[in-house]
Amino acid sequence: MGAFVGRDVLLEFAIANEDALVGSLNFKRLGMMRGKSMTTNWDTVDTTADLSPAFTKTNLVTFKMVEFSGDGVSYTEAAFNQGEFKAHVISPGATTGNQPKAWLRLTDPDGSVYVGPFIVNEWSDERPYSDTATWSISAMSNGDVSFTPA
């Protein structure tokens, strides 16, 4: 398939706790997005000791953190699901124990997929005087986020 542009990447969400089964989730598209970014970081611990080879530092990984950030243009139509997602992030209900939890699924045009549970730790609205109203989110993994290549 080759190169692709970000507008062809699909972001979907399902409001559920981290222990939900992926196959049971009802994913909905979060529409009218512009930017979508997924970042994976590993924490490391230093395992260097007095007999490390050639006085070279050695490490092991301990924990993985996957972070999503994205932004879009504010639309009021229900078809884009922005209102539902925003309402859940700002005032999460009993379904998720009053926590802003959601599963995110990011699908590239070639069929590669990130999917997993997240806590949405930021929702931001921008309403400039003479420009388009926009929004942005950031979320951090809250369990196993997997990547499956096409």
Side-chain angles (χ1 to χ4, degrees):
M1 172 170 196
F4 59 89
V5 294
R7 72 172 173 244
D8 294 335
V9 175
L10 172 65
L11 180 73
E12 298 168 291
F13 71 93
I15 296 172
N17 285 314
E18 60 277 1
D19 58 357
L21 299 174
V22 177
S24 70
L25 298 174
N26 179 26
F27 282 97
K28 298 178 181 181
R29 181 182 195 134
L30 186 53
M32 304 314 286
M33 292 193 75
R34 289 185 173 171
K36 304 164 193 111
S37 176
M38 194 73 78
T39 304
T40 303
N41 289 298
W42 285 93
D43 292 338
T44 59
V45 292
D46 186 350
T47 59
T48 310
D50 59 355
L51 296 177
S52 292
F55 306 103
T56 304
K57 290 189 84 148
T58 57
N59 293 278
L60 289 174
V61 296
T62 55
F63 298 102
K64 175 177 72 172
M65 169 68 78
V66 180
E67 296 174 299
F68 174 80
S69 61
D71 62 272
V73 177
S74 297
Y75 276 78
T76 57
E77 290 89 343
F80 303 121
N81 301 307
Q82 292 176 4
E84 178 184 351
F85 192 72
K86 178 179 176 177
H88 173 66
V89 171
I90 294 171
S91 300
T95 300
T96 57
N98 301 308
Q99 299 289 312
K101 296 177 180 180
W103 280 69
L104 299 180
R105 182 167 64 190
L106 184 77
T107 307
D108 289 332
D110 70 354
S112 297
V113 177
Y114 284 93
V115 65
F118 286 81
I119 289 182
V120 182
N121 56 331
E122 180 182 349
W123 177 281
S124 178
D125 287 307
E126 297 293 331
R127 295 179 179 88
Y129 174 73
S130 61
D131 202 354
T132 303
T134 60
W135 55 272
S136 62
I137 62 170
S138 62
M140 58 186 184
S141 55
N142 191 38
D144 184 25
V145 175
S146 65
F147 173 76
T148 305

